[in-house]
């Protein structure tokens, strides 16, 4: 591999556990301001990645995956807000 070729950064979806290029996923970040979506991928805080598919978004809420990922109690309103934002910003 030459210096010009760069390997795509891979991340694992917290819902389906599939490895995908970072650019094809959405980052969810926990910061002092709370848990929110990070479309830039550069926000400060602990991050986790999720596919943009509706099935993964549903699984995120159903199994309360943010509670497990961030080791804290995440309220239903946070899940609802994240689900709404993710589905509104999907690139189909």
């Amino acid at each position: 591999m030459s210096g010009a070729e760069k390997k795509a950064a891979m991340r694992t979806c917290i819902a389906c556990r599939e490895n995908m290029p970072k650019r094809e996923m959405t980052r969810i970040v926990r910061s002092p301001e709370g848990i929110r979506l990070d479309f830039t991928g550069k926000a400060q805080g602990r991050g986790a990645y999720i596919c943009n598919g509706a099935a993964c978004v549903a699984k995120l809420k159903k199994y309360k995956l943010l509670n497990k990922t961030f080791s804290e109690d995440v309220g239903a309103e946070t899940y609802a807000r994240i689900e709404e934002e993710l589905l509104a910003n999907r690139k189909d």
Side-chain angles (χ1 to χ4, degrees), residues 3-77:
E5 294 177 34
K6 219 175 171 188
K7 210 171 182 182
M10 301 295 280
R11 296 293 182 265
T12 303
C13 174
I14 62 173
C16 68
R17 311 299 298 165
E18 189 174 323
N19 265 347
M20 298 176 70
K22 179 179 168 181
R23 293 181 179 265
E24 294 178 18
M25 302 178 82
T26 302
R27 183 172 184 245
I28 302 171
V29 67
R30 181 190 72 197
S31 65
E33 295 84 43
I35 295 174
R36 58 190 168 83
L37 294 179
D38 172 22
F39 294 106
T40 67
K42 298 178 182 178
Q44 293 291 317
R46 169 87 168 94
Y49 289 84
I50 187 164
C51 301
N52 295 321
C56 286
V57 175
K59 195 182 263 191
L60 178 78
K61 189 175 181 179
K62 180 178 180 182
Y63 296 108
K64 299 186 183 238
L65 295 174
L66 294 178
N67 294 30
K68 296 171 186 168
T69 302
F70 296 132
S71 301
E72 70 177 55
D73 191 32
V74 178
E77 66 283 344

Side-chain angles (χ1 to χ4, degrees), residues 68-92:
K68 296 171 186 168
T69 302
F70 296 132
S71 301
E72 70 177 55
D73 191 32
V74 178
E77 66 283 344
T78 302
Y79 279 104
R81 180 177 41 81
I82 286 176
E83 180 181 34
E84 185 179 312
E85 288 180 39
L86 272 170
L87 295 176
N89 289 297
R90 267 183 32 193
K91 298 172 187 102
D92 289 328

